[in-house]
Amino acid sequence: MPTALTAQQVSDCEGGIARADNLMEPWEETSRTFSGGRTRIAVLDRIEPALGAFHLMILSPPFDALGARQCRVVSYRATMGFARLRFEDLQSTYDPLKGLGLRLPVESFDGQGDAPVAGQLQVIVNQATGEISATLEAAQ
């Protein structure tokens, strides 16, 4: 049975991580839409620090008065990202009571050793309320 490591950092896109030049290319392989295009998930690559360069950007409802979606970034901790996001293995589910569920393998440095630790990042996007939560489970 997987064990929960920690709640991950979910923050507003303001602050420099969610810049257009951080969108990882090729975009068609590192971005995916859900809910008829209303929600988009994209990989951000900040290049440095090399041990934590990768973040997930989430554009999702609710929409503001001008029709813009909210923008959030999921990171390992504060401004530290993941050492690796296996976006090609992203799985999604939908639960009408919780929202859009996303799950993907990740690797992160926990400060306990020299090698990255494998895990499963789980993100829940409630498109009705705008709430986004993320947790990381240790891989078995």
Side-chain angles (χ1 to χ4, degrees), residues 37-38 59-70:
R38 294 166 43 100
L59 299 169
S60 70
F63 297 90
D64 68 14
L66 298 175
R69 297 172 284 188
Q70 70 173 347

Side-chain angles (χ1 to χ4, degrees), residues 33-36 38-39 60-61 91-103 122-131:
T33 60
F34 301 90
S35 306
R38 294 166 43 100
T39 297
S60 70
Q91 297 175 354
S92 65
T93 59
Y94 181 74
D95 179 336
L97 298 177
K98 295 180 182 179
L100 174 65
L102 305 168
R103 184 176 177 90
Q122 294 189 75
V123 179
I124 303 293
V125 180
N126 186 318
Q127 298 169 100
T129 66
E131 182 180 352

Side-chain angles (χ1 to χ4, degrees), residues 43-125:
V43 177
L44 298 171
D45 180 359
R46 295 195 64 200
I47 302 170
E48 291 291 337
L51 301 178
F54 300 102
H55 305 258
L56 275 184
M57 182 176 66
I58 301 172
L59 299 169
S60 70
F63 297 90
D64 68 14
L66 298 175
R69 297 172 284 188
Q70 70 173 347
C71 182
R72 300 288 184 266
V73 174
V74 177
S75 304
Y76 179 59
R77 298 224 191 327
T79 58
M80 178 70 121
F82 297 91
R84 183 173 183 206
L85 292 171
R86 291 186 31 206
F87 196 75
E88 65 276 9
D89 294 329
L90 176 71
Q91 297 175 354
S92 65
T93 59
Y94 181 74
D95 179 336
L97 298 177
K98 295 180 182 179
L100 174 65
L102 305 168
R103 184 176 177 90
L104 71 153
V106 298
E107 293 179 8
S108 55
F109 280 89
D110 62 4
Q112 302 297 316
D114 295 334
V117 176
Q120 291 286 321
L121 178 64
Q122 294 189 75
V123 179
I124 303 293
V125 180

